Amino acid sequence: MSLPESDLDLIVSELGREPTPAESVLFENLWSEHCAYRSSRPLLSAFDSEGDAVVIGPGDDAAVVAVPLSEHANTPPAERSPEDYSETYITLGIESHNHPSYVDPYDGAATGVGGIVRDTMSMGAYPIALTDSLYFGPFAREHSKYLFDGVVEGIADYGNSIGVPTVGGSVEFHEGYVGNPLVNVACVGLTDADRLVTAEAQSAGNRLVLVGNATGRDGLGGASFASEDLSEDAETEDRPAVQVGDPYTEKLLIEANEALIDESLVASARDLGAAGLGGASSELVGKGGFGARIELDRVHQREPNMKALEILLAESQERMCYEVRPEHVDRVAEIAERFDLGCSVIGEVTEGNYVCTFDGEVVVDVDSDFLTEGAPMNDLDAEAPAEPTVAVPDIGLAEAFEAVVSAPSAASKEWVYRQYDHEVGTRTAIKPGDDAAVMAIRETTGDPMDTSGDGTGLAISAGAVPNWTDTAPYEGAKAVALENATNLAAKGALPLAAVDCLNGGNPEKPAVYGGFKAIVDGLADMCSALSTPVVGGNVSLYNDSATGPIPPTPTLAMVGTRSGYDAPPAALAGEGELLVVGETGDRLGGSTYLAEFNGSDGFPALPDDPAAVIESIARVASLDSTLATHDVSTGGLAVTLAELVTETAGAEVTLETIAAAFDETPGRVVVETADSDAVRDAVAEGVPVRSIGQATPGGELSLTVGADSRTYDYEAIAALRSTIDSAFE
Amino acid sequence: MTVAVVQFGGSNCDRDAVRALTHLGIDAERVWHEDGLPSETTGVILPGGFSYGDYLRAGAMAARSPIMNEIRSAADAGTPVLGVCNGAQIGCESGLTEGAFTTNERARFQCEPVHLRVERADTPWTAAYEAGDVIEVPIAHGEGRFEITDERYDRLEADDRILFRYCAPDGSVTEAANPNGSIGNVAGILGESDHVAVLMPHPERATLPDIGGTDGAGVLRAFA
């Protein structure tokens, strides 16, 4: 790949000369789709990213959001006042590592974790939780299993080593990812008003200090690699563009970063990710309206005879660029030394251009704003997605139940999350396997060591459902946002903020771009309806290969808050009435049922007032009489009920139609309650509450649909749900 | 008067150990390995994590760092020393305890709650329990399979050095209840003296009442 002719013309006219070789490569990378969002930025204005909670919105390394005080955590955001928020902040970031994970699943996924954790650190935050949303081709394919296994191991080895719990995420299998899997990693960090730093340079004369791993020739041109379709021979051809992670150094970097923040030694910070040192340093100074003078020879290097542009562009991992006041430079070097990290003072912030020298020669001399913000935007043709056809196969209850409950996307993900340390940090109150993780944010009590349980619970949910957005990109993306919010509400939390990772195919294809535009609008509209600011995100296009584009995939990582950390389990007690709160639809479009039996249908209607639904569910989850709650999503009510059954508690449920059992309309939960009147009193007007049966002692699910009845015991259900476990054991 | 939670490069349960001890009213602080033990050290925890990235062999590098000499001297002088997870691996590598913790039978990292049977109640680590009690504490490791020669294992048993065994909820020590293939379902052992112990499960993750069970608190109360 090289610079497009039109870009080159623009650069020549701005510079008044031909760019140097180092400048050409810098522009090629920083103006790539991956860094400059040339095809997506025109669409992203659809997102509402403001609100009282938002401290720093999109555009920095990670977004920063204030956590409400515990006593206001259950107040709907629209009714909160600014003083209801504490000075405890969380950071939110999300990143894709799609192409690298195809070429080298283990290292590709591992370095994705490393990158998003450093984005968190550069805000002065300590990483407290990770989620991973993974998308592969059909599970039956050996190659999908190979990628899946490698990606999970890469995430586990890296995340576990650095001591950041992986508490949630999603795993989906779909034909559209055969040639292009997706790995979307989100990180939540914890900071406060005093510790917060940004990636915006503060003043000329400050030094630029590079801390971390030595720079080698690894990951050269990763940003431009991520901005093209994957070629058929990508696994061999593109391996040099994939970086190799070193979690031990990352952990040292986390500790060093904490020490630097403790002593207020950092004026601003940016992690080195896409486009390496050139990207990080130019963006850091450019964002502050400055330039820089950088001597590339000063960068600590791992191998001899590196060229200027290799030093500039290498994506060697575990490196941070800090802006440091001159009088603090020695202390920064001491701290780096204490943690066995390399450290070089590479230059300083200036009022002029972004200038790099190497071997006494100027190799880059450009305006930093032009370099980092000057990429022209693409105006691409969009073709509106087609309406789904209607062809719903008629399948018997037993066949349908067994196929859907054991479908890989609906089946148990225990094999995945058992490999992740999800408890390190001792904050994880609700663990994986439930609707949402809940982390204890004890800091909002004023005492970080508080163990009363009275802090703010931070619920986290992340994922997308490709069957939904493949069927109906706009409605499907709205459903993804509502589904993540429902996961939070099922554990009693109200949405606070979200970040998105928007994955699409080659945007130069009008049908692909049309689908992509639809998922952006769908996510944006539902998040607005829920008053949930979308505070940041990531765009990954060109997820396209010889087997075609991926389904448009809007991974959303949403966080919400509740007072305290305790929530009803997603497991039956065996003694209450079973209610469904929220509307069950009658359309099967996008469902696992139709995916399993090759049918097609329109997407189900979503609630008119989704905020009322979410608030109602959260109130119901907070009632003392609520014994269990579990959201309805992939696989519909059938899967929700199967998941609720335990060895000692089951259910007797009657539904009218097959559609009611397998429809996947989000914005619904199954509630086991000891007081159904209390549930009806807790929901807003217009939010339906329907009794579907009774929880029973003994681990059996008896399901009656129309004239057909089936009973499955816990062992039979566990066997159906073990599709993934049993394939790997 | 403080418990030193020794932080090596790559340790990652050091903050959790301090938080758990603080909750129990026990003064504790993180101590960077190069800084040596504080003079007022009344106990030592070698916390979990991946010291030196586990790059040579889990615990092998940390076991040879200078602070371990200080810890051995402290242990000889009667200071209680507890190794948890990676700290247990370090304990074995440094000779504080016998045997080794190595790659799980399934060769994968496993993060899950397990049941432990208390084998001896007359040690500082188990004074809060009765012999035969079953407690629930989580594990989180890829290399937790206890290995030792048969001869030495027999001696451990004969000398009553086994502190905890993996068991079913009813206390029966079965193969099904053994998460990682440890010989004799061993989850934790004592050193030569009762005040030195290592275990793979994480008591500090089962101490704080606001996030779940507190069955592990008894182990940490040894430092009170």
Side-chain angles (χ1 to χ4, degrees), chain A residues 126 149 160-161 163 246-248 251 255 338 418-426 442 448 451 565 729, chain B residues 7 9 11-12 15-16 19 23 32 35 50 52-53 55 106 108-111 138 204-205 208 210-211:
Chain A
Y126 189 86
D149 194 12
N160 297 350
S161 285
D246 172 8
Y248 173 58
K251 177 62 174 147
E255 295 297 336
R338 180 177 174 83
R418 288 284 173 238
Q419 296 186 59
Y420 299 152
D421 188 343
H422 47 257
E423 296 187 298
V424 62
T426 49
R442 305 176 174 104
T451 49
Y565 332 125
E729 287 304 329
Chain B
Q7 185 195 14
S11 298
N12 66 28
R15 289 177 175 82
D16 299 351
R19 191 195 298 278
H23 166 72
W32 181 241
D35 295 343
F50 290 76
Y52 299 95
Y55 285 161
R106 269 180 272 178
R108 289 188 187 275
F109 192 92
Q110 288 167 257
C111 181
E204 81 282 6
R205 297 187 185 184
L208 304 171
D210 56 349
I211 55 164

Side-chain angles (χ1 to χ4, degrees), chain A residues 560-651:
Chain A
T561 60
R562 46 161 302 141
S563 182
Y565 332 125
D566 199 18
L572 295 171
E575 57 198 56
E577 187 178 356
L578 292 177
L579 307 175
V580 174
V581 176
E583 189 70 75
T584 296
D586 57 3
R587 305 295 298 271
L588 285 163
S591 65
T592 310
Y593 175 91
L594 289 185
E596 287 297 307
F597 299 107
N598 299 313
S600 177
D601 196 2
F603 200 76
L606 297 171
D608 294 332
D609 187 352
V613 173
I614 293 301
E615 286 164 26
S616 297
I617 292 171
R619 277 198 297 274
V620 169
S622 304
L623 295 172
D624 288 338
S625 52
T626 294
L627 305 172
T629 50
H630 192 18
D631 107 299
V632 183
S633 61
T634 303
L637 268 172
V639 166
T640 303
L641 292 166
E643 289 172 344
L644 277 164
V645 171
T646 73
E647 277 178 287
T648 55

